[in-house]
Amino acid sequence: MYDNLIDEWLKLAGGRENIIRIEQDLETTTLTLKDRMRMDLSYTTSIGVEADIQFTGGQCRLRLRDESGAIYDSLQEMGIGSQDKTSLQEAMSKIKGKFSVMQFVSSVFRPLMPVILGAAVIKIITALILFIDSLGSEGSSSLMDNQTFTIFRIIGDSALYLLPVLAAVSTAYRLKSNIYAAAVIGGFMFYPEVAPLFSGEKEVYFLGQQLASQPTFYSSILWVMLTVCAAAYLERGIARLNLKGLTVDLAPFLTLLILVPFMLLVLGYAAQWLDEKLPPIVETNVADAPILTLVLLGAFFVLIWMIGLPSLLLPVILNELLMNSSSLLLSGMLAAVVAQAGASLAAGLHSKEASFRSMAFCASGTALFGIIEPALYAVNMRRKSSFFAAMLGGAAGGLYFGWLSVGAFALGGSSSLLELPLYIKPGSLNLLHASVGVVISFAVSCVLTYIFSGKRDKSTVSH
């Protein structure tokens, strides 16, 4: 993205050998320079990015606006600047007061966005074709039996299906640890025998601990990334032991032997507890306090989705459809997803960086069709204001849905605009209210993100 400008940045900084260290903090990449007299200030007018030169004591620091993190990644790949800390250590050292874990997760996903967005567009196109075809045919669509269409649909699904593996590899690459061990960690739940094992037909035990039948929970991206981070620490600890030739083989061996089973046991206990506690709580609340339930679901569904728990809500949704012929929970989920799209759009509108703006706009579009990974991980988690504005937007939409008891009358494949026909009820305004709720979620998150981003910029300038 920045290949044509990298030479100018380096000349402004006085050459790559004049850069002591590179750091990333929120939306800024900072270069610490060895000798400020070697800077070529004539390049400040030609560089297509905002730059700020600071002098602190005897140090000179060149701060570049880098909303997407592309500058930082490019300089790291070139090996510029001596790194006294790993990316993981830098991220973890900034957690206090800056919520840098969110930025670290976002930086892991940024390199994945081109392929994810490309696959998402294919997925959306096939979904639209199938939707249009179903409107003109009675009964099942003939496209479902067309093998060419099926292959295209699989191509669109492939990147999202393999996202845990891609995230594991990207995390390991960023931490400079073993990417092949990370790929095994990410792909563990894709082993052919895993699906039948966790089908729920029989109880599954591992080292005496019962595991919940929730394979999506164990393959959740956050748990995969956490395991890869732990593997990176283990790898560096073994390297410090200076075991010569054993280091290369010992780290992956211990990672697979200890870390993966340990994570499986911890998650197994948590998943089993949540499987027993969460559905009854949600079912009771949606019956006794539907408005509050939908407000909370609209705000926090993305968190439930991030840790791989949406499947735990399925029994409650099915019971709603059976008992009431409609589901309020599906409305709350729709509000949360659309709110991510609104926040991503506002982040793009507010951005001054062309690459980030383009990515945010595309991510907003895919989120409206139920594919929220780009908007959530690459855009909104990078900006704390966007993330919390999206939660407030989802809560606002959930409030409207709960207040008017707007529910879906069938279970769809994902929460997206394509599922609005599921809210049609002859002789009622249910579809109209569903559309209004969607607009509220989108608009509130969009407006709040823009307002919060403006306040953040004013605060930055005042400092």
Side-chain angles (χ1 to χ4, degrees), residues 334-403:
L334 177 61
V337 170
V338 171
Q340 292 294 321
S344 182
L345 176 65
L349 291 172
H350 188 272
S351 174
K352 298 179 181 179
E353 185 180 318
S355 60
F356 182 83
R357 187 163 57 244
S358 175
M359 179 175 65
F361 290 160
C362 292
S364 177
T366 60
L368 288 175
F369 290 94
I371 305 171
I372 65 172
E373 286 86 353
L376 175 61
Y377 290 118
V379 179
N380 296 334
M381 285 193 71
R382 187 167 188 81
R383 295 162 166 256
K384 185 167 58 175
S385 58
S386 300
F387 186 79
F388 290 115
M391 293 179 68
L392 292 174
L399 175 62
Y400 183 83
F401 284 136
W403 179 40

Side-chain angles (χ1 to χ4, degrees), residues 74-95:
S74 298
L75 293 177
Q76 270 208 325
E77 290 175 4
M78 296 176 66
I80 296 176
S82 59
Q83 302 298 309
D84 298 327
K85 294 183 179 180
T86 67
S87 299
L88 176 61
Q89 290 171 328
E90 288 176 359
M92 298 305 292
S93 67
K94 298 174 185 175
I95 291 176

Side-chain angles (χ1 to χ4, degrees), residues 161-203:
Y161 179 75
L162 296 174
L163 195 54
V165 179
L166 296 177
V169 171
S170 183
T171 303
Y173 180 80
R174 187 165 179 81
L175 301 179
K176 297 180 174 59
S177 62
N178 193 316
I179 61 174
Y180 305 108
V184 174
I185 293 173
F188 170 73
M189 296 303 292
F190 295 106
Y191 192 76
E193 292 184 27
V194 169
L197 188 65
F198 287 91
S199 63
E201 295 181 0
K202 58 181 179 180
E203 295 180 348

